[in-house]
Amino acid sequence: MTRLLLIGPPGAGKGTQAERLALAFDVPAISTGDIFRYNVTTNTPLGLEVKSFMNAGAYVPDTLTNAIVADRLKEADAATGFLLDGYPRTTDQVAELDRLLGAEGTQLDVVVLITADTDEVVARLLKRAAEQGRADDTAEVIRHRLDVYTEQTAPLIDVYSARGLVVTIDGLGAVEVVTDRILVALAERGLRASTTTL
């Protein structure tokens, strides 16, 4: 049973590492962004609710996000563990996740905090924006997103650090090198990957 939470700023390679770690530990990578998109495209009742907020340019409220994650964690593939990416984002969501896991008699094993130099992340995201033709992703916009991330996630990191759950990983370097850093840190916490073939 492996229950991980991945936290990191935009552009730190969190999505890539989430995929690799999910494969290494044979657990599903659960991304709230992916869940929202899936529910919207398949027109589920939750998806229709999410779409109404997205169309209005509003944040999806905690209650709805919590419901969607709770629903996903009940699926069979999450019974032996999971990797959360993008949830929780607020201290209220932390409390709800605690409640959900507590009801099952479980809790998070480790919170992996991926860090990256701000200038390096801005350069990465500008390069990605240029490749994807996203002219609205300017350096100023990206730095604002990074500031919002820091402001929103700092309280979460404090909560999980106080519980002794956080391992901090340098997110700069080759993808494989960063994965190895994470696997070593997790092994030191007693979590060993079921496969090292990534």
Side-chain angles (χ1 to χ4, degrees):
M1 298 288 278
T2 304
R3 299 175 199 83
L4 302 174
L5 166 60
L6 213 54
I7 297 178
K14 188 162 52 75
T16 301
Q17 293 303 329
E19 288 175 17
R20 293 173 67 81
L21 292 171
L23 190 61
F25 286 94
D26 194 24
V27 294
I30 299 175
S31 156
T32 44
D34 290 347
I35 295 173
F36 287 161
R37 283 185 286 276
Y38 170 78
N39 278 276
V40 168
T41 55
T42 55
N43 286 317
T44 66
L46 286 173
L48 294 173
E49 270 194 84
V50 167
K51 195 172 182 179
S52 68
F53 287 102
M54 291 167 76
N55 288 347
Y59 283 114
V60 178
D62 281 356
T63 49
L64 186 52
T65 303
N66 291 336
I68 284 178
V69 172
D71 204 46
R72 179 65 183 86
L73 289 176
K74 287 176 189 162
E75 292 185 26
D77 65 342
T80 56
F82 52 79
L83 184 153
L84 290 172
D85 170 11
Y87 178 94
R89 281 187 190 273
T90 67
T91 50
D92 283 348
Q93 288 179 4
V94 169
E96 178 60 15
L97 180 61
D98 285 346
R99 191 191 67 75
L100 285 172
L101 297 180
E104 300 295 321
T106 63
Q107 61 184 13
L108 286 175
D109 294 311
V110 178
V111 175
V112 178
L113 172 61
I114 299 179
T115 62
D117 175 74
T118 300
D119 290 340
E120 178 69 24
V121 165
V122 170
R124 272 190 195 180
L125 291 174
L126 283 173
K127 182 172 181 273
R128 186 191 300 174
E131 288 167 354
Q132 296 176 355
R134 290 162 55 175
D136 55 331
D137 266 4
T138 63
E140 186 181 357
V141 168
I142 290 168
R143 285 185 185 278
H144 175 69
R145 279 169 54 204
L146 290 169
D147 288 343
V148 169
Y149 158 80
T150 302
E151 184 182 312
Q152 287 182 344
T153 56
L156 274 64
I157 294 162
D158 289 345
V159 168
Y160 287 125
S161 292
R163 298 180 189 178
L165 292 178
V166 177
V167 294
T168 303
I169 305 294
D170 180 0
L172 297 183
V175 168
E176 299 80 7
V177 172
V178 176
T179 304
D180 285 344
R181 286 177 195 149
I182 297 171
L183 292 177
V184 167
L186 292 177
E188 287 171 355
R189 294 293 188 105
L191 298 176
R192 302 203 177 275
S194 52
T195 177
T196 52
T197 310
L198 300 176

